[in-house]
Structures are given as C-alpha cells and as structure tokens.
C-alpha cells in the first residue's frame, strides 16, 4: 500500500491540457483538440451559445459601440418611459428638451425606443441636431424609432450602459419605469463611488420624482445609508431652460476630457 501523502499524490497527478487550460485527476478535457473542434463541419451548432463564444460577442459589441460613437459631438442622454404616448405632456416635454439640447450644441442620446425616448430624438432631429439611439434586444420592443440618425442595437445591457456613460456629458431622466430607474441609480452609484467624475444628473418633473427624492432624503439619508451630500448629486426641475443651464454650467470641453479620459484608459 502506498504511503504517499495527499500532497504527494496531488503532485504525481499527470496533467492534461486543452489549449492553455490544464486538467488534473478526474477533470476531463475531452478527446477532441481545439483545431479539430474548429475545422470539423459535422459538429452541432450548440457551441455558438457557449460562454466563451458570448465573450467574443460582447467584445464585438464594445468595438462596434466605441467605433460608432468615438467622433460624435458632446452629447446628453435623455431617459424616459417607452410607454409615454405622443399626446402626453411628458412627450411634449421630451421633444422640447431634445430641441433645446440640439440648439445648445449637444447631440442627444436615448435608448432609441418609443415614448419619451422617441420624443427626445424627435425634438433633436427637428432642430437639426445629432439624434442618436442605443437600442437593446428585447422580446417586446420594435426597434429604433424613426427619428434616430445614428443607431446601434445591443444584445447586452451592460455594454449599452457603458456607452451611455462614456459618451454623455449629462443624464436627463424624464418620468419612467424600471429602465429609467436602473440608469438613474447606475449613474448615481458611479458618481458617488468616484468611478467617474461627477456630471449632471437631472430629474425632469418635480411632481413625478418628489416621492422618490423624499424617500431618499428621509429613509436613505435619514438612516445613514447614504450621506446627506449624496442627495446633491441629483437636481430636479420642471424647466427645459434650466436643464440646459445646469448642463452648460457643469460641463465643458476640459471637464469632459477629464471625465472620459482617453481610449487607452478605457
């Protein structure tokens, strides 16, 4: 009977390799080589749904997004509900914001969908601005709205979120649902934790947002879950002109270079 210790037994285990990946003991790499897997036309197509293949798709989405957006002018992202009807006052406000931002020299980025997103794209386009839509593959949405000049459809939310943050000088949130809240709190977290330099985060519609702001002030700040000064990261208004003034007052070419860094840093 062998008297080798457990450590010695581990050391004697003969490794097997699949490319750069090593397997020992009963971890089996399979009999097929990487070249055979690549060149064999008789295999099934399930491999395109594996995680390694998804990594390449993710990489491709980043490359396409960076390539398409690298040379756009200074831009502001406008979020809001896809369910906002064209006759709703919030649609009218979205169009006015899109138009005012275009007239101030900003491109307008939205999620590219209908509702408030369409309104901002429409307002920007009708004011001869640069209207951009970053869509997302969803089972219940119908693609980019007709007012988008430059559009990109993403498979992955996290890639799309990177584009919103990287290429925006400010976020404006019209009344919206989970998607709008998701982007709002993502931005707040990034600024609060100093993962990005502070930039304007504006909630448009005091009546709609006041309950959320009161809850953050009373429950979050009141119980010490956030610092009182964290609430200063948000500005709330009902004025389209004030939206533009806030953004112009807190952004500029120098500040943008500082916030975004260089392509090498990304």
């Amino acid at each position: 009977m062998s008297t080798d210790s457990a450590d010695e037994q581990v050391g004697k285990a003969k490794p097997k390799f699949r490319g750069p990946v090593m397997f020992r003991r009963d971890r089996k790499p399979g009999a097929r080589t990487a070249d055979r897997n690549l060149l064999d036309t008789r295999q099934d197509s399930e491999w395109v749904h594996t995680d390694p293949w998804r990594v390449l798709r993710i990489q491709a989405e980043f490359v396409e997004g960076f390539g398409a957006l690298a040379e756009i002018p200074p831009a502001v992202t406008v979020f809001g509900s896809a369910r906002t009807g064209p006759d709703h006052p919030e649609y009218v406000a979205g169009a006015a914001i899109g138009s005012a931002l275009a007239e101030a020299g900003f491109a307008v980025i939205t999620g590219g969908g209908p509702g408030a997103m369409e309104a901002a794209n429409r307002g920007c386009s009708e004011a001869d601005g640069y209207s951009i839509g970053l869509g997302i593959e969803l089972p219940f949405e119908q693609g980019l709205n007709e007012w988008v000049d430059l559009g990109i459809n993403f498979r992955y939310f996290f890639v799309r979120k990177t584009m919103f943050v990287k290429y925006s000088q400010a976020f404006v949130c019209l009344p919206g649902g989970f998607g709008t809240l998701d982007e709002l709190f993502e931005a707040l977290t990034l600024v609060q934790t100093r993962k990005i330099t502070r930039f304007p985060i504006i909630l448009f519609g005091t009546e709609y947002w006041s309950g959320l702001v009161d809850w953050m002030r009373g429950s979050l700040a009141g119980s010490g879950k956030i610092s009182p000064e964290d609430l200063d990261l948000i500005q709330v208004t009902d004025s389209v002109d004030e939206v533009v003034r806030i953004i112009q007052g807190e952004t500029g070419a120098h500040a943008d270079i500082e916030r975004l860094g260089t392509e090498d840093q990304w």
Side-chain angles (χ1 to χ4, degrees), residues 66-80:
F66 290 156
L69 299 171
E71 296 181 351
I72 65 171
V76 173
T77 292
V78 180
F79 297 107

Side-chain angles (χ1 to χ4, degrees), residues 169-244:
Q169 300 218 5
F171 279 6
V172 180
C173 296
L174 288 157
F178 286 156
T180 301
L181 292 171
D182 178 42
E183 301 294 352
L184 167 62
F185 283 104
E186 175 102 10
L188 287 172
T189 301
L190 289 171
V191 174
Q192 181 206 43
T193 57
R194 300 184 183 179
K195 297 297 288 184
I196 59 174
T197 303
R198 177 174 175 172
F199 70 107
I201 301 170
I202 304 167
L203 304 181
F204 188 89
T206 55
E207 182 179 356
Y208 185 85
W209 294 110
S210 61
L212 176 63
V213 174
D214 289 344
W215 174 76
M216 287 192 286
R217 181 178 294 111
S219 294
L220 296 185
S223 63
K225 302 298 188 297
I226 62 172
S227 300
E229 56 267 24
D230 289 334
L231 293 170
D232 296 335
L233 300 176
I234 306 170
Q235 300 186 67
V236 188
T237 183
D238 291 312
S239 168
V240 173
D241 291 339
E242 187 176 2
V243 168
V244 177

Side-chain angles (χ1 to χ4, degrees), residues 94-116:
I97 291 170
S99 177
L101 289 171
E103 291 170 359
F106 294 100
V108 171
I109 303 175
T110 77

Side-chain angles (χ1 to χ4, degrees), residues 31-48:
R32 298 169 64 93
T33 66
D35 278 340
R36 182 176 174 184
N37 284 331
L38 174 64
L39 299 174
D40 192 346
T41 60
R42 294 169 294 178
Q43 61 181 316
D44 62 43
S45 61
E46 286 302 308
W47 63 276
V48 300

